Amino acid sequence: MASFTRGFGGRRRDVDDSKVPPGQTLVHDWPVLSAGATPEIEPSEWSFSIRTESGLHSWTWDEVRALGLEDITVDIHCVTHWTKLGMGWRGVPLDKLFADIDTSLDYCMVHSFGGYTTNVPLDELLAGQAWIAFEADGEPLTPEHGGPARLLVPHLYFWKSAKWVRGIVMHAEDEPGFWENAGYNMHGDPWKEERYW
Ligand SMILES: Nc1nc2c(c(=O)[nH]1)N[C@H]1C(S)=C(S)[C@@H](COP(=O)(O)O)O[C@H]1N2
Ligand SMILES: [Mo]
């Protein structure tokens, strides 16, 4: 009679492989990846703005949160090959911020306190694909993970999820941000392994 050692080998039976993009390895901790020093920002001094051809649209901490917090569960994928599945997040979808904004500009440069930037096309921040996140796994975001507020764009590699986010500047053309200037992909779809240029 044949005998099997079920679940033995390279794959874990408790993980749905269809959720792990090519070239990625699962982690159960949450690594910190920051290009520079961690800024310390109080909610009272935090604000968010979107600059379009019609000017500057700004919201305070309370105003952004009053637009409507959502609880979501998503997977995150870092270009340095780690994937973390099933994280719970709380944040305001970008749809709420763009609801009253009329722009013909198609590209976003996301700006952070501390100077970090990253580019994302506007249509990839809408339709429930991106949030201003305030909490992860039931706790306020720690400063090292981008607290008090960060962008969350889970369908793209995690470098697009700008920590300490402070605003978006709209552009007519897709221009590279911090890592994109250093050779990271302009788009960054983990399922297509869009890691570098
Ligand atoms: N402001 C800012 N945002 C950033 C970064 C950064 O260095 N500065 N690093 C990016 C990268 S490369 C990754 S993988 C994730 C890491 O987020 P974490 O430290 O919470 O895991 O943040 C992204 N957002
Ligand atoms: Mo990263």
Side-chain angles (χ1 to χ4, degrees):
M1 224 180 141
S3 82
F4 294 89
T5 308
R6 296 213 294 158
F8 194 78
R11 298 292 184 181
R12 293 172 56 119
R13 275 191 301 153
D14 60 340
V15 163
D16 182 353
D17 287 331
S18 69
K19 292 187 168 181
V20 184
Q24 297 293 109
T25 303
L26 288 179
V27 295
H28 298 280
D29 59 345
W30 186 5
V32 172
L33 283 100
S34 301
T38 297
E40 298 279 341
I41 304 140
E42 294 297 322
S44 59
E45 58 189 355
W46 184 88
S47 66
F48 191 82
S49 68
I50 299 174
R51 193 162 87 208
T52 68
E53 64 272 46
S54 66
L56 198 64
H57 310 256
S58 297
W59 297 261
T60 65
W61 173 264
D62 289 335
E63 286 168 346
V64 172
R65 294 170 60 94
L67 294 173
L69 291 159
E70 289 181 1
D71 288 305
I72 49 169
T73 301
V74 296
D75 307 329
I76 58 175
H77 312 288
C78 176
V79 73
T80 62
H81 299 275
W82 56 266
T83 281
K84 190 168 169 57
L85 298 180
M87 282 191 87
W89 293 78
R90 176 171 288 174
V92 173
L94 271 286
D95 300 284
K96 302 266 189 181
L97 290 137
F98 277 95
D100 294 325
I101 289 184
D102 192 15
T103 179
S104 63
L105 304 172
D106 289 334
Y107 297 97
C108 297
M109 186 64 79
V110 184
H111 290 257
S112 295
F113 291 94
Y116 186 84
T117 54
T118 190
N119 57 303
V120 185
L122 176 57
D123 66 5
E124 299 213 29
L125 295 181
L126 301 180
Q129 297 183 93
W131 293 264
I132 305 287
F134 300 97
E135 293 179 25
D137 289 336
E139 302 286 340
L141 283 174
T142 58
E144 60 183 2
H145 284 301
R150 76 181 294 166
L151 190 66
L152 175 65
V153 196
H155 76 286
L156 299 176
Y157 280 123
F158 208 35
W159 87 79
K160 300 287 186 180
S161 293
K163 304 197 277 192
W164 318 295
V165 70
R166 61 191 294 257
I168 290 171
V169 177
M170 302 297 305
H171 294 271
E173 311 283 338
D174 195 12
E175 291 164 28
F178 177 82
W179 281 120
E180 295 82 8
N181 262 313
Y184 283 27
N185 195 273
M186 289 292 275
H187 183 228
D189 182 340
W191 294 96
K192 296 179 184 164
E193 285 209 83
E194 294 173 339
R195 297 178 190 274
Y196 310 107
W197 287 25

